[in-house]
């Protein structure tokens, strides 16, 4: 069951990133530590373990609680599961497009030094990641449609941040799939997922 346990971390990373997307789109503000965890994960392409992608399991507590709510049918934001499904569908299209996958990896590596020097949440790094998402993943269908406050979604800096965190969400979706994740997790393995998440939260 170790793989299932690790898979829950990737789902927690996905949920945590998308909750941040929703928060940024609604309020124009991110939670700084959660934003950092999401954007750091984008640059940890060759991490030694799923938990290392996020800087440790403790960094995923908000996402684990969101996943726990989902699998226990206690969803507080009905937009979040729909957004999650859209990103999982996008991930399928993305990994099947070799040229785009390479372009995204190259774009991430091109920003790695800046992220190391300035921090992954620096405005320059966020702008570059946002542009990378706009130039690549945003052209795939189905498009991931983010609802929020038009006042904030009209600001380039907020849009860049939303796109950068969507890139982090796709990174988690890729990891989930690499760990054997499939839609059966949501249908046939709900009880096992809840048990795994509960164990992580304890």
């Amino acid at each position: 069951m170790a793989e299932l346990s690790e898979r829950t971390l990737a789902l927690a990373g996905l949920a945590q990133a998308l909750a941040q997307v929703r928060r940024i789109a609604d309020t124009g503000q991110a939670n700084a530590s959660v934003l950092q965890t999401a954007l750091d994960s984008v640059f940890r392409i060759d991490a030694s373990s799923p938990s290392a992608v996020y800087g440790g399991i403790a960094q995923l507590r908000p996402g684990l609680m969101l996943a726990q709510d989902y699998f226990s049918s206690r969803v507080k934001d009905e937009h979040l599961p729909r957004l999650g499904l859209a990103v999982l569908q996008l991930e399928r299209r993305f990994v099947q497009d070799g040229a785009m996958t390479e372009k995204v990896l190259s774009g991430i590596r091109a920003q790695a030094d800046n992220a190391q020097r300035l921090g992954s949440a620096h405005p320059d790094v966020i702008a570059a990641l946002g542009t990378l998402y706009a130039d690549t993943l945003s052209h795939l269908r189905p498009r991931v449609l983010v609802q929020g406050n038009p006042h904030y979604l009209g600001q380039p800096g907020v849009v860049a941040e939303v796109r950068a965190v969507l890139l982090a969400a796709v990174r988690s979706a890729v990891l989930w799939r690499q760990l054997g994740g499939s839609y059966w997790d949501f249908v046939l393995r709900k009880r096992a997922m809840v048990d795994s998440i509960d164990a992580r939260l304890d």
Side-chain angles (χ1 to χ4, degrees):
M1 295 297 284
E3 198 171 76
L4 180 66
S5 181
E6 292 189 329
R7 215 180 294 158
T8 61
L9 297 182
L11 274 185
L14 174 64
Q16 190 165 299
L18 292 179
Q20 226 29 228
V21 165
R22 296 275 299 134
R23 174 176 167 155
I24 296 163
D26 278 340
T27 69
Q29 297 290 323
N31 175 304
S33 65
V34 175
L35 179 68
Q36 187 84 48
T37 297
L39 296 180
D40 281 351
S41 76
V42 172
F43 293 100
R44 293 190 180 124
I45 296 166
D46 301 315
S48 58
S49 67
S51 64
V53 170
Y54 304 102
I57 295 169
Q59 305 301 322
L60 286 173
R61 188 168 182 81
L64 285 165
M65 292 172 75
L66 286 166
Q68 184 184 55
D69 286 346
Y70 173 79
F71 284 110
S72 305
S73 301
R74 297 193 305 261
V75 174
K76 298 180 179 73
D77 178 357
E78 74 272 12
H79 291 296
L80 210 50
R82 289 204 291 268
L83 207 50
L85 179 60
V87 168
L88 291 175
Q89 290 173 331
L90 181 70
E91 182 269 346
R92 284 289 76 199
R93 304 281 192 285
F94 171 60
V95 297
Q96 289 164 5
D97 187 331
M100 185 177 290
T101 307
E102 192 50 50
K103 185 173 181 180
V104 170
L105 284 172
S106 296
I108 290 168
R109 290 190 178 110
Q111 284 301 312
D113 286 346
N114 270 348
Q116 185 75 37
R117 188 166 45 86
L118 303 171
S120 64
H122 188 278
D124 290 353
V125 178
I126 287 174
L129 293 179
T131 298
L132 180 62
Y133 183 92
D135 289 346
T136 55
L137 287 145
S138 71
H139 294 287
L140 294 175
R141 297 292 181 272
R143 291 188 67 179
V144 177
L145 300 175
V146 176
Q147 296 177 314
N149 186 321
H151 171 71
Y152 296 114
L153 291 176
Q155 298 175 15
V158 171
V159 172
E161 202 163 296
V162 164
R163 287 171 173 160
V165 181
L166 280 175
L167 188 62
V170 173
R171 197 273 179 262
S172 286
V174 170
L175 178 63
W176 173 73
R177 196 83 66 169
Q178 287 172 336
L179 293 167
S182 76
Y183 292 113
W184 294 115
D185 287 345
F186 302 103
V187 181
L188 299 179
R189 301 188 189 108
K190 289 178 83 165
R191 183 69 255 166
M193 297 296 276
V194 170
D195 290 345
S196 179
I197 291 163
D198 288 348
R200 290 292 193 181
L201 285 169
D202 289 342

